[in-house]
Amino acid sequence: MIDLTITEALQKLAKREISATELARAHIERIEKYNPKLNAYITTTPERALADAAAADERIKNRTPRVLDGIPIAMKDLFATRGIRTTAASRILENFVPEYESTISQKFIDSGTVLLGKSNLDEFAMGTFSKTSFFGAPVNPWQLERHLTAGGSSGGSTSAVASGMAMGATGTDTGGSIRFPCSITGLVGVKPTYGLCSRWGCVAFASSLDTPGPIARTVDDAALLLSVMAGHDPKDSTSSDVKTEISVPLQPILGDGKKLRVGIIRELADVKVSDDMKNLFEKRVADLKSLGAEIVEVSIPNILDALAAYYVIAPAEASSNLARYDGVRYGLRVEGSDIYDTYKKTRAAGFGDEVKRRMIIGTAVLSSSSYEVYFMQAARVRRLIADAFDRAFENCDLIVCPSGANTALPLDSDLTPLEYYALDLFTVAMNLAGIPAVSVPCGLAANGLPLGMQVVGRKFDDVRALQLAKHIEQCANVDNRPTKVMGK
Ligand code: GLN
């Protein structure tokens, strides 16, 4: 049962060939069996799942089903869930139980999903391997014995979905945290247009870049989840009121003489990627061409500066956002000799090294002596990149590029912070520009591990990006069924 896609499961549920309770049980058993090895969940909620499933079964029986009735999902532990511990994978929020529900998780409740638990991530979503989690790193279900990373920061979500411990999951993408983990776990991940999905109740990292989005095993499933997540939220002042119609199954945008110009970014051509990535990317581009797409070269002159700009802007915003964890209002409190000492002791004990590093960088680039040369300069580069994408989209409809350079690395790889940051080279520019990008599997490398590529669109062109991604999915034809990835 755990191999079913969401789309297939919904059909079986509607015909009452399976029940939501059976589906929930199958996933709970899978979690009991594999979560100790994979560490995908920080908190599991089997009782809640069974109650959700019973309610879904009741509605299905009464023929009043909701869009995702009975679909078991994982919620990244960055989304506040009422009455359920929400940690952001940080010690400072280890025992934080919110009294409110994030807009995104509320939308999933309203659509009838079954909550299996809160998935693991990098602490405050800062990282690329989910190794900065206070709860230990999640593991990639592909070639389990090799103990590979499931990516970050949404690595618990990808580990859960790829292993069949959830049919879909939420993620957040500030600089690649949905797309990168999806690319190395054989999944589909969407970083939607900034503002399409509400950030209300989602623990803030870098507010001008943070983008909630879906993670699933197929493009149609991801589109279905996105259709539930998207929409204006008066509680989030950066939430957009542009309406995006997402209907599933997604329709083809190639073939039958349809015209589509697909852009390739010139400046990325010289960036070193593995031979497998290069070959698979070229194969898929050739496929698109044979399906009738016109391939054009476009230029984003400053794209290679995106990393430097991102690693100024994101820490700057983080240093400000994380000032609220002071031992007074939330979570951990370590008593000191006076209030300042309490702040210091609480924050020293509550945050991990990477989070501290970001706060120090962020505070430094915002200081009066550095503000102009670092923060303002980064903001200018950001503007140049966003404008360059606008211009590129005058010459093409969608852009494709790799999601990362390589397949999943072992969790014990010893990389320096800068080497980790460099892994975000292909993803951060889209966050700076606020445009949508879908990561979709483009094939398996010689070592048997999956690789992903991105489809990037204009603002609010999320659906067309998904449509093109579906063509790529069909051409690549990667078998990512959980029992195939890691056995029964
Ligand atoms: N890897 C990037 C970082 O560490 C992106 C994280 C994210 O998108 N949340 O900041």
Side-chain angles (χ1 to χ4, degrees):
M1 216 180 297
I2 50 129
D3 274 347
L4 293 173
T5 65
I6 296 175
T7 323
E8 290 164 350
L10 284 171
Q11 282 164 3
K12 288 192 185 296
L13 285 162
K15 289 195 213 138
R16 309 203 32 212
E17 288 169 17
I18 56 171
S19 73
T21 304
E22 283 165 353
L23 197 57
R25 286 233 166 83
H27 283 87
I28 293 168
E29 273 167 29
R30 187 89 174 163
I31 291 172
E32 281 164 359
K33 182 166 173 198
Y34 283 119
N35 196 50
K37 289 195 180 84
L38 292 172
N39 198 25
Y41 286 97
I42 292 176
T43 307
T44 55
T45 53
E47 280 146 35
R48 158 79 181 266
L50 290 172
D52 286 350
D57 278 330
E58 196 57 28
R59 286 187 298 264
I60 295 169
K61 194 174 103 203
N62 296 335
R63 300 193 186 283
T64 52
R66 303 179 180 173
V67 212
L68 291 177
D69 239 340
I71 299 302
I73 57 145
M75 188 62 59
K76 185 176 183 177
D77 202 16
L78 204 58
F79 292 95
T81 41
R82 185 175 21 235
I84 298 169
R85 177 167 84 128
T86 300
T87 68
S90 180
R91 187 179 171 210
I92 212 156
L93 290 176
E94 186 183 1
N95 299 310
F96 172 56
V97 179
E99 289 176 14
Y100 53 90
E101 191 76 39
S102 74
T103 296
I104 290 296
S105 52
Q106 185 63 48
K107 281 172 177 277
F108 277 101
I109 294 175
D110 295 342
S111 67
T113 55
V114 167
L115 182 69
L116 292 166
K118 305 293 297 287
S119 48
N120 204 349
L121 65 150
D122 276 298
E123 184 178 8
F124 285 100
M126 297 175 193
T128 316
F129 277 24
S130 297
K131 273 164 59 164
T132 69
S133 169
F134 174 63
F135 302 91
V139 180
N140 193 324
W142 290 76
Q143 302 178 2
L144 184 58
E145 64 295 345
R146 292 184 59 199
H147 223 72
L148 304 170
T149 175
S153 66
S154 311
S157 294
T158 53
S159 174
V161 177
S163 63
M165 299 198 294
M167 301 188 89
T170 53
T172 59
D173 193 312
T174 303
S177 278
I178 289 177
R179 291 162 287 157
F180 178 69
C182 282
S183 75
I184 58 172
T185 53
L187 300 175
V188 179
V190 188
K191 175 241 171 285
T193 301
Y194 180 82
L196 189 66
C197 297
S198 169
R199 292 183 296 108
W200 194 83
C202 178
V203 175
F205 163 10
S207 308
S208 77
L209 301 159
D210 295 345
T211 326
I215 290 169
R217 290 197 288 269
T218 69
V219 178
D220 271 341
D221 282 4
L224 200 55
L225 297 179
L226 182 63
S227 73
V228 163
M229 298 172 76
H232 179 246
D233 179 9
K235 290 194 236 167
D236 171 1
S237 62
T238 59
S239 156
S240 161
D241 53 12
V242 174
K243 281 219 168 27
T244 314
E245 287 300 329
I246 307 171
S247 61
V248 180
L250 294 157
Q251 296 306 308
I253 45 168
L254 288 173
D256 291 338
K258 295 195 180 79
K259 287 225 178 311
L260 193 81
R261 293 161 308 164
V262 175
I264 312 269
I265 302 172
R266 182 181 310 147
E267 290 76 11
L268 290 183
D270 300 332
V271 175
K272 184 132 185 51
V273 298
S274 64
D275 289 344
D276 288 310
M277 186 67 241
K278 189 170 177 316
N279 294 338
L280 288 170
F281 180 70
E282 282 169 3
K283 259 196 198 147
R284 297 293 84 89
V285 171
D287 288 338
L288 296 179
K289 201 169 167 182
S290 64
L291 285 170
E294 183 193 341
I295 309 297
V296 297
E297 202 181 67
V298 294
S299 172
I300 311 288
N302 286 99
I303 195 160
L304 298 180
D305 300 324
L307 261 186
Y310 171 85
Y311 276 101
V312 169
I313 294 170
E317 294 187 23
S319 71
S320 157
N321 271 326
L322 271 58
R324 73 188 76 180
Y325 304 102
D326 55 8
V328 178
R329 285 166 290 192
Y330 298 87
L332 182 77
R333 177 184 179 97
V334 181
E335 218 57 60
S337 53
D338 57 30
I339 186 68
Y340 295 105
D341 197 37
T342 299
Y343 290 161
K344 268 194 233 161
K345 289 206 162 86
T346 299
R347 290 168 67 85
F351 292 127
D353 288 349
E354 182 59 27
V355 173
K356 286 178 185 158
R357 180 177 297 117
R358 306 270 179 127
M359 288 189 295
I360 292 169
I361 296 171
T363 310
V365 298
L366 290 175
S367 66
S368 57
S369 57
S370 301
Y371 184 78
E372 186 56 41
V373 275
Y374 287 101
F375 187 77
M376 285 309 290
Q377 189 63 6
R380 284 184 203 106
V381 170
R382 179 180 196 173
R383 167 54 54 204
L384 289 175
I385 290 170
D387 289 348
F389 270 110
D390 282 347
R391 267 196 304 280
F393 283 122
E394 288 170 11
N395 298 316
C396 67
D397 300 294
L398 293 161
I399 290 175
V400 291
C401 68
S403 300
N406 222 323
T407 53
L409 291 172
L411 271 167
D412 61 10
S413 310
D414 197 14
L415 304 185
T416 64
L418 280 179
E419 285 167 333
Y420 278 116
Y421 298 170
L423 294 171
D424 300 327
L425 177 77
F426 291 97
T427 49
V428 289
M430 298 73 175
N431 298 78
L432 292 172
I435 54 181
V438 179
S439 180
V440 59
C442 59
L444 295 183
N447 62 8
L449 293 170
L451 279 167
M453 65 186 269
Q454 298 180 77
V455 183
V456 185
R458 299 182 185 120
K459 275 192 184 153
F460 300 105
D461 214 0
D462 305 56
V463 174
R464 283 209 302 174
L466 282 160
Q467 285 175 297
L468 189 64
K470 188 167 166 177
H471 286 288
I472 295 170
E473 171 181 59
Q474 281 161 352
C475 296
N477 197 20
V478 172
D479 187 351
N480 62 4
R481 284 170 301 166
T483 57
K484 185 78 200 306
V485 172
M486 66 172 323
K488 291 240 183 299

